[in-house]
Amino acid sequence: MKLKLERTINTKRNIIFGEIDKVIGILLPFVVRTMIINLMAVEYLGLTSLFYSIIQMLNLVELGFGTAIIYSMYKPIAENDVKKINALLRFYTRVYRVMGCLVTAAGLLIMFFLPSLISGNVPEDTNIYALYLIFLTNASINFFLFPNQKALITAYQRDDLLGKMHIITQLLMYMLQIISVCLARNFYLYALTIPVSTIAYNFLCAYQSRKYYPHYKEEGLLEESEYREIRKQVIGLMVRKIATLSRNAFDAMFISAFLGLQLTALYGNYYYIMDSVVMVLAVVKTSMAGGVGNSIATESVEKNLKDMKTINFLFMTLSGWCMTALLCLYQPFMKIWVGTEMMFPFGIVVLFSVYFYVLKMGDIRTLYAESIGIWWQSRYLSVAEALSNLALNYVLIRFMGIYGIIIATLISYFVFNFLGGAVVLFKYYFTKDAFFDYLIVNVKYAVVTSLVAGITYCLVSVIGLEGWIGLIVKGGACGLVSGIMYLVIYMNGREFKNAIPLIRSLVRKR
């Protein structure tokens, strides 16, 4: 077995199938939701949203344990330590079963409070308890059906296998949902397709895992020091995930409390667009995770620093291109989607575009920090980010309204997540001397992106076409102009030349 994974090839496969899966997960649910609104009742979507929110809350029980285990697999995979991996798989299964029992028990307890969580009318002949049990069953399945097999595939950087299985099961699920809504007009059948799809997906993933990695079995015990290390990493991850979840929750709660539900809805619309682009780029980041983890385990610190700089250059260029598209296309799309009466001023568009770019500035640094496993060392930064966001929201919303909410998030994230996280990474893994070079380079990327975005917006804004035709023409012009500008600015630079071999390896046919 190779100690070094085919990192570039795996990343390429992961990105391709991850993006296909993401497109399916964005478009087909939109189709199904539209059919439910037109053919059944919008209240069904309200119930679905409520149940998914409850399940998301229950899933906090996991709080990063899976990520910590996958991180723990990188080194033994690189060293071909089958015994260690077997012990990790056994431990993973046992812990997940306990978590599954906790989620199921807590979910059943919440059933007693369901009526108090539902405001307004419930569709006739609808048993909310039966529907809720279907959603709860779906959540529990993931804790009991082969969770360790999916983790093993991810640790081997073969998320493309998971992506293929997810694409197959999701397509079948949405087809069955369309049939349930269009022909049967039965929401119970619609809901049942969700756990059925999850069961099929987990079995297919287990089949793939045993096909490619048949030499691994759930057996053996970890050493006490290894248990302690995993517990410490899980605590660090738990603090960070809670801080991440609270970031957006604080924003919505403050807008609702101080500015009203209508502005909360408008903010949610703009955030949804930005978050859709964030999720698409998240596939790129996730697809590299296994390769970076393997590189950390097998390569030198100097080699990993050089790779991080190259990957960061490509990722920030891609992020800048997306930010430019948001700046140019936000308002034309919102005008088509919700109309001028539900649009924010252009200043909010600028802030959301900057918000997106700042979120992406820390992605590659976070990718390496996660692969190294320094969640424990950054636990206080996560707490500080959440508390500062809370305090700034309270102060700035009183003086600046919606603008203050976005600025508060930008400040807290940039200071504690980007800057603070970079300090921790360069202190505990890379050299401290390289920290300032990293900051200077990212400032340079931000300045270039601001220049590209500003010029592109000025050129695209003179296009007078409206509607979908106008959006398509503006989108094409935006992508072409910004792409050419990035190429002209970077083509003679050191970063671009260092990135050429990686670009070639990603696009080359094997």
Side-chain angles (χ1 to χ4, degrees), residues 81-262:
D81 189 347
V82 176
K83 183 178 178 181
K84 174 72 171 292
I85 296 172
N86 287 342
L88 284 168
L89 292 174
R90 180 173 180 266
F91 178 57
Y92 190 103
T93 300
R94 293 175 63 187
V95 172
Y96 256 59
R97 284 174 181 167
V98 173
M99 290 180 179
C101 292
L102 292 174
V103 166
T104 303
L108 292 174
L109 183 62
I110 290 175
M111 283 185 64
F112 295 102
F113 304 96
L114 276 183
S116 61
L117 296 176
I118 298 174
S119 177
N121 297 324
V122 175
E124 294 182 3
D125 302 323
T126 299
N127 188 317
I128 60 173
Y129 299 103
L131 284 175
Y132 174 74
L133 282 175
I134 294 174
F135 282 84
L136 179 60
T137 300
N138 181 65
S140 300
I141 287 169
N142 285 312
F143 288 94
F144 292 105
L145 275 185
F146 317 115
N148 57 356
Q149 300 299 319
K150 290 181 287 186
L152 181 62
I153 293 175
T154 298
Y156 263 98
Q157 202 197 359
R158 291 305 308 271
D159 284 318
D160 63 298
L161 296 177
L162 300 179
K164 291 174 185 176
M165 299 304 100
H166 200 250
I167 290 169
I168 293 171
T169 53
Q170 290 295 288
L171 284 173
L172 290 173
M173 183 189 76
Y174 290 125
M175 288 175 58
L176 291 173
Q177 287 183 348
I178 291 172
I179 293 172
S180 301
V181 174
C182 290
L183 301 181
R185 307 285 177 93
N186 190 313
F187 197 73
Y188 292 104
L189 291 178
Y190 161 87
L192 283 170
T193 62
I194 301 173
V196 169
S197 170
T198 301
I199 292 171
Y201 171 67
N202 287 354
F203 271 103
L204 287 172
C205 291
Y207 168 77
Q208 292 285 358
S209 177
R210 289 165 181 169
K211 174 183 176 182
Y212 284 93
Y213 315 110
H215 48 292
Y216 292 123
K217 300 177 182 178
E218 298 176 20
E219 58 185 19
L221 296 173
L222 297 173
E223 296 179 2
E224 183 59 33
S225 59
E226 293 168 333
Y227 285 123
R228 287 197 300 269
E229 180 64 23
I230 291 174
R231 282 196 297 267
K232 187 170 74 171
Q233 300 297 0
V234 167
I235 292 173
L237 271 168
M238 176 184 66
V239 173
R240 197 193 70 182
K241 287 201 171 187
I242 291 176
T244 301
L245 290 171
S246 65
R247 184 189 308 147
N248 297 327
F250 285 159
D251 294 350
M253 287 189 294
F254 272 95
I255 295 172
S256 177
F258 284 85
L259 304 177
L261 290 176
Q262 184 177 4

Side-chain angles (χ1 to χ4, degrees), residues 321 452 456 460 473-487:
W321 187 77
V452 170
T456 304
V460 171
V473 172
K474 290 178 180 178
C478 173
L480 185 63
V481 171
S482 59
I484 291 174
M485 289 183 65
Y486 272 120
L487 183 61

Side-chain angles (χ1 to χ4, degrees), residues 262-278:
Q262 184 177 4
L263 285 179
T264 305
L266 267 64
Y267 179 88
N269 289 341
Y270 277 78
Y271 185 86
Y272 174 79
I273 300 301
M274 184 198 75
D275 194 48
S276 297
V277 183
V278 169

Side-chain angles (χ1 to χ4, degrees), residues 423-477:
V423 169
V424 172
L425 177 63
F426 282 84
K427 176 181 179 181
Y428 288 96
Y429 186 69
F430 298 125
T431 61
K432 295 181 181 179
D433 296 336
F435 171 72
F436 291 102
D437 179 59
Y438 171 78
L439 290 185
I440 291 171
V441 166
N442 276 279
V443 170
K444 170 188 171 183
Y445 296 157
V447 171
V448 169
T449 293
S450 300
L451 178 67
V452 170
I455 295 176
T456 304
Y457 175 78
C458 292
L459 294 175
V460 171
S461 62
V462 301
I463 299 175
L465 297 174
E466 298 288 341
W468 288 108
I469 298 297
L471 183 66
I472 293 171
V473 172
K474 290 178 180 178

Side-chain angles (χ1 to χ4, degrees), residues 382-424:
S382 299
V383 175
E385 181 192 346
L387 293 177
S388 66
N389 188 33
L390 178 64
L392 288 172
N393 274 339
Y394 181 78
V395 173
L396 295 182
I397 195 172
R398 293 171 173 270
F399 300 100
M400 305 174 68
I402 290 289
Y403 292 89
I405 287 291
I406 304 175
I407 292 173
T409 304
L410 278 171
I411 293 173
S412 59
Y413 182 88
F414 181 79
V415 172
F416 295 105
N417 194 300
F418 176 71
L419 289 179
V423 169
V424 172

Side-chain angles (χ1 to χ4, degrees), residues 69-87:
I69 288 292
I70 291 171
Y71 156 74
S72 300
M73 289 183 186
Y74 289 147
K75 185 176 180 180
I77 285 176
E79 297 175 348
N80 197 22
D81 189 347
V82 176
K83 183 178 178 181
K84 174 72 171 292
I85 296 172
N86 287 342

